[in-house]
Amino acid sequence: MKITLKDGNVIEYSEPLRVIDIAENISPGLARNACAAIVNGEEKDLRYMIEEDATLEIVPFGSKEGNHAFRHSSAHLMAQAVQHLYPAAKFAIGPAIDDGFYYDIEFEEPISQDDLPKIEEEMKRIVKEDIPIERYILSREEALKWAHDEGEIYKVELITDLPEDAIISFYRQGDFTDLCAGPHLMSTGAIKAFKLTSLAGAYWRGDEKNKMLTRIYGVSFPKKKDLDEYLERLEEAKKRDHRKLGREMELFTFMDEGPGFAFFLPKGMVLKNTLMEYWRKVHDRYDYKEISTPIMLTQDLWETSGHWDHYRDNIYTSVIDDQAYAIKPMNCPGAMLVYGAGQHSYRELPLRIAEVGLVHRHEMSGVLHGLMRVRAFNQDDAHIFITIDQIKDEVENVIHLIDEVYKHFDFKYHVELSTRPEDSMGTDEEWNAAISGLKEVLEKIGLPYEINEGDGAFYGPKIDFHLEDSIGRTWQCGTIQLDFQMPRRFNLEYIGADGERHMPIVIHRVAFGSIERFIGILIEHYAGKFPFWLAPVQVKVLPVSRNTQDYAQEVMTLLRSRGIRAEIDDRDEKIGFKVRSAQMEKVPYSLILGQREAEDRTVSVRILDEGEAGVKALDVFVDEIANQA
RNA sequence: GCCGAAGUGGCUCAGUGGUAGAGCAAUUCACUCGUAAUGAAUAGGUCGUGAGUUCAAUCCUCACCUUCGGCUCCA
């Protein structure tokens, strides 16, 4: 048989061989690092027997498939340890995830964080024993019998739900056996470095009606160094946590009096206003008009829009003069009313109506998370009214706008196309037309995308923008949604070239998404060290002593007159102290002003994280910096 | 909402069944200083809220609130 490797080389063998043997044959190093294999495009085990011509890629840790196998085996390793320590534990599912693995387990007695080291110790012991992992197959009856005999009620359910023709495979390592599709490593010895990171509740099958199981999360790596690096990255993320920086930098806060409702402090407001100033400039250039609609509107309106049916659980309500009102969870109905209030000609379209609207949504208490997940936030919304022929051009136009905005913050991003959810309005034809329209645009401009099945809005499909921050995490921010439903429900129309009434189509879109969340992301992306134009305080003026305070005051007044956000630190402290405190406040520029500078009318510049940047003439520095802003 | 953990001066955190401490920050005073912490003094807390156990609760019990890690949901 001929084996075609990834690099195109072909090796011939006279008899069937396992993947691991072929790897060994190619090089012992390859075999040592191998985690799994891709045979004819399918993920397989290293113990998979190749019997005829095939393409073969042997994947090490570091590849997606390799990591998957490694982490999955780690989950089994943990399960084995748990079984040793808690024989009564029942196992549900234990998959690999992007950063590690978890296993959902039902314990007789609840366990706590303090029990994790004990489990880690047992895992270490099992790793040291280097127990071979074996794979075998059972018939459905045999598999069910095993699960019943073991009392593994969750496995019984899993086996029962497997499709008719499924191959039911098991993996055994010593005294531990688990139902599993694999692939897995060859033995437990490879899992050299791991850590159980957290403990959490998780519903069986993710359904809140089901029993809550205990989920243990862990990470694992072939080398200790990799684990250390991973833990360092976690530390870095912790340092950048916007909740911590937001407090330290006095940007925003939360109070018990309004859980999930952010309070913006003066410096946070500067940030927010600066951000919105930029946003308005961009949107003006792209020919958007801005409106503002009420936060509270009658309940009837939300019944008309469909929100009452589809979004009721999240809507806050109130009563005014015996009339039921809803506090808006979205801006669209307001925009529909504005459009509907006047007559429109096809000549006006595309009509781009933006609204930075404050929406309120009742989120479950357990999901609140700093600025990332709140109960009231501003959406940088816009509703674009177009004819059916304008869909592609306009979607493309919006994509360009969003692209421009993200690049401005040095974000990379990828897009996903979300299709029809279960709970939705409209006909299949409309949905299919809308989805294929969006696909065409993405393909036309060559933007790669993934499909996110069933994740669209209830009124139409959407393109979601997931941006990637400076430490590699992704966040969903922008979306573009195509909507045939709202225009119909609100009887919107425009007069066409033919003099007849036609129904426009609406594009809903946001670029930042939620201003609050975007600010949270920016804080973490920049680790609080905002670019000059965005920094709440841009320049800190530091007189060396009392003697140079007048000059420092003059410099600050000049900076402010040029629109630069400057503050003076005229405390009676040593210059080292003031420098340190300016650096800790993460102010981009510090100006050290002593006797020499005052006499020569210069400034000694210090740049955040870069240190001393030389002495410059005052007016030269001010000109330079005013251009940056 | 559910599972688990936590809540002590502005911040970070000690601590004890007999009504509380440190560092930083703040305030005042002295020093007037050249690129990441000058020194001293002062002030500041009904220990998340409410009930219970106890002679006595910040500490033990219960309920609630908030926060944190997840589930689920989402911008």
Side-chain angles (χ1 to χ4, degrees):
Chain A
M1 62 177 182
K2 287 193 185 119
I3 302 297
T4 310
L5 299 175
K6 203 195 171 199
D7 58 12
N9 281 336
V10 178
I11 310 180
E12 280 215 50
Y13 294 100
S14 54
E15 51 182 10
L17 277 175
R18 295 184 306 164
V19 171
I20 188 71
D21 300 324
I22 295 173
E24 190 70 45
N25 177 262
I26 297 168
S27 102
L30 179 67
R32 212 165 37 244
N33 291 319
C35 288
I38 302 170
V39 180
N40 295 327
E42 282 180 44
E43 235 177 288
K44 293 288 184 192
D45 240 55
L46 293 173
R47 45 185 87 61
Y48 179 72
M49 186 71 80
I50 302 184
E51 302 183 354
E52 47 195 42
D53 293 359
T55 63
L56 172 66
E57 183 185 349
I58 294 169
V59 290
F61 188 84
S63 70
K64 189 172 153 241
E65 294 82 2
N67 287 8
H68 191 261
F70 192 90
R71 263 69 187 261
H72 205 158
S73 294
S74 308
H76 280 208
L77 167 66
M78 175 173 80
Q80 185 173 20
V82 167
Q83 194 174 59
H84 288 171
L85 297 168
Y86 306 91
K90 293 186 182 17
F91 296 89
I93 53 161
I97 50 177
D98 282 354
D99 270 343
F101 59 91
Y102 67 79
Y103 216 119
D104 285 349
I105 303 168
E106 184 186 329
F107 286 93
E108 242 177 0
E109 299 287 327
I111 67 162
S112 81
Q113 195 86 34
D114 305 332
D115 297 313
L116 296 183
K118 208 168 53 192
I119 299 173
E120 282 178 1
E121 281 313 308
E122 181 61 14
M123 288 169 72
K124 276 183 199 151
R125 211 182 55 72
I126 297 169
V127 169
K128 217 176 238 164
E129 276 184 45
D130 195 12
I131 304 172
I133 301 171
E134 306 158 60
R135 177 177 190 269
Y136 62 94
I137 290 170
L138 291 182
S139 70
R140 183 171 295 258
E141 292 67 37
E142 292 166 327
L144 281 171
K145 181 171 183 310
W146 168 83
H148 277 296
D149 291 350
E150 296 290 320
E152 294 288 1
I153 51 174
Y154 299 103
K155 301 295 177 188
V156 171
E157 232 184 278
L158 289 172
I159 295 166
T160 309
D161 287 356
L162 285 172
E164 281 294 313
D165 56 346
I167 294 169
I168 304 177
S169 60
F170 285 79
Y171 284 81
R172 175 166 51 212
Q173 54 199 61
D175 56 5
F176 176 78
T177 301
D178 199 358
L179 166 77
C180 188
H184 277 280
L185 305 177
M186 297 301 290
S187 89
T188 60
I191 308 167
K192 297 253 188 288
F194 54 84
K195 186 174 171 58
L196 301 183
T197 49
S198 66
L199 201 64
Y203 300 109
W204 166 234
R205 305 208 141 164
D207 187 332
E208 58 184 306
K209 289 183 205 73
N210 287 339
K211 191 174 170 67
M212 173 78 67
L213 306 172
T214 302
R215 174 171 299 180
I216 306 177
Y217 282 92
V219 291
S220 62
F221 298 90
K223 296 194 195 104
K224 177 151 190 315
K225 188 170 137 271
D226 298 328
L227 174 64
D228 292 343
E229 276 171 20
Y230 173 83
L231 295 175
E232 257 169 54
R233 271 207 308 284
L234 277 192
E235 281 303 306
E236 179 61 27
K238 223 175 181 177
K239 269 188 234 154
R240 289 167 178 255
D241 191 316
H242 76 286
R243 292 167 300 187
K244 176 174 173 283
L245 291 172
R247 188 170 50 236
E248 286 172 4
M249 299 176 74
E250 297 177 342
L251 300 174
F252 61 87
T253 188
F254 287 87
M255 312 265 184
D256 282 2
E257 287 80 355
F261 300 112
F263 287 66
F264 274 80
L265 304 176
K267 287 194 173 129
M269 272 320 280
V270 172
L271 187 60
K272 193 165 164 183
N273 288 337
T274 308
L275 203 56
M276 293 323 293
E277 203 179 299
Y278 161 74
W279 184 92
R280 292 206 160 85
K281 248 184 241 166
V282 172
H283 283 75
D284 188 50
R285 186 149 44 72
Y286 277 79
D287 199 25
Y288 282 70
K289 311 274 180 253
E290 188 174 351
I291 61 168
S292 172
T293 69
I295 279 177
M296 231 176 170
L297 295 160
T298 61
Q299 187 176 309
D300 310 350
L301 173 75
W302 302 96
E303 285 166 10
T304 303
S305 70
H307 286 85
W308 197 252
D309 279 348
H310 296 270
Y311 212 70
R312 191 188 180 340
D313 291 347
N314 288 295
I315 301 181
Y316 294 110
T317 56
S318 186
V319 173
I320 302 176
D321 293 341
D322 297 328
Q323 160 92 281
Y325 276 71
I327 298 174
K328 70 176 175 183
M330 295 190 194
N331 298 305
C332 14
M336 299 303 131
L337 291 181
V338 169
Y339 181 93
Q343 266 210 346
H344 298 280
S345 149
Y346 73 98
R347 293 173 185 277
E348 291 172 64
L349 309 186
L351 180 61
R352 305 183 184 92
I353 300 186
E355 170 172 22
V356 183
L358 175 60
V359 298
H360 288 69
R361 298 181 184 177
H362 178 73
E363 301 291 351
M364 288 194 291
S365 59
V367 306
L368 303 177
H369 182 94
L371 289 182
M372 301 299 192
R373 194 68 190 276
V374 289
R375 283 179 170 159
F377 57 98
N378 288 278
Q379 279 184 308
D380 64 322
D381 223 333
H383 297 89
I384 307 175
F385 299 85
I386 50 173
T387 68
I388 198 149
D389 307 326
Q390 293 169 333
I391 293 179
K392 283 173 208 154
D393 284 348
E394 192 53 28
V395 169
E396 190 176 340
N397 188 34
V398 175
I399 292 175
H400 280 143
L401 185 152
I402 294 179
D403 176 71
E404 176 181 333
V405 170
Y406 289 177
K407 288 208 170 119
H408 195 246
F409 297 94
D410 299 319
F411 283 122
K412 283 180 266 177
Y413 65 87
H414 73 269
V415 300
E416 291 179 12
L417 177 63
S418 294
T419 59
R420 182 166 193 175
E422 279 180 26
D423 181 18
S424 56
M425 310 187 299
T427 64
D428 284 344
E429 289 73 44
E430 286 167 338
W431 276 86
N432 292 338
I435 290 167
S436 58
L438 292 178
K439 274 188 189 167
E440 270 178 56
V441 180
L442 289 171
E443 270 148 31
K444 184 192 156 213
I445 58 179
L447 202 55
Y449 63 95
E450 291 164 36
I451 302 265
N452 209 342
E453 220 53 75
D455 209 31
F458 68 81
Y459 44 75
K462 55 180 187 169
I463 297 175
D464 292 324
F465 289 73
H466 296 252
L467 52 81
E468 187 182 326
D469 71 13
S470 59
I471 55 173
R473 296 169 303 181
T474 62
W475 307 87
Q476 200 221 293
C477 289
T479 90
I480 304 175
Q481 308 176 351
L482 213 47
D483 178 7
F484 298 92
Q485 309 304 328
M486 295 283 159
R488 178 175 311 130
R489 289 180 162 244
F490 284 89
N491 294 317
L492 301 186
E493 51 190 38
Y494 66 90
I495 310 295
D498 55 5
E500 299 291 320
R501 295 164 188 275
H502 300 272
M503 194 185 79
I505 294 179
V506 169
I507 295 173
H508 305 242
R509 49 108 282 178
V510 293
F512 291 155
S514 145
I515 313 301
E516 284 74 4
R517 179 181 285 182
F518 198 76
I519 287 174
I521 294 167
L522 285 179
I523 293 170
E524 304 200 354
H525 178 55
Y526 293 123
K529 294 168 186 172
F530 297 107
F532 181 77
W533 70 276
L534 206 49
V537 178
Q538 297 172 304
V539 179
K540 203 86 176 181
V541 179
L542 310 177
V544 171
S545 77
R546 243 178 251 164
N547 299 329
T548 51
Q549 266 188 31
D550 289 347
Y551 178 57
Q553 200 67 49
E554 189 192 332
V555 169
M556 188 183 70
T557 308
L558 177 63
L559 287 167
R560 287 209 176 154
S561 75
R562 297 290 295 272
I564 289 160
R565 297 185 289 273
E567 280 184 358
I568 188 165
D569 185 350
D570 55 5
R571 290 176 294 182
D572 283 340
E573 293 290 350
K574 284 171 47 172
I575 192 66
F577 179 88
K578 296 186 194 182
V579 166
R580 177 179 143 87
S581 96
Q583 301 293 291
M584 295 211 305
E585 281 175 48
K586 308 185 205 301
V587 179
Y589 290 98
S590 299
L591 300 182
I592 287 82
L593 305 180
Q595 208 63 51
R596 289 199 294 276
E597 286 78 15
E599 276 162 23
D600 305 342
R601 298 193 62 74
T602 55
V603 293
S604 174
V605 182
R606 186 187 171 97
I607 301 175
L608 180 61
D609 281 351
E610 290 177 29
E612 293 183 48
V615 176
K616 285 182 179 165
L618 173 60
D619 47 355
V620 171
F621 173 77
V622 174
D623 281 345
E624 268 179 24
I625 222 170
N627 287 335
Q628 270 190 57

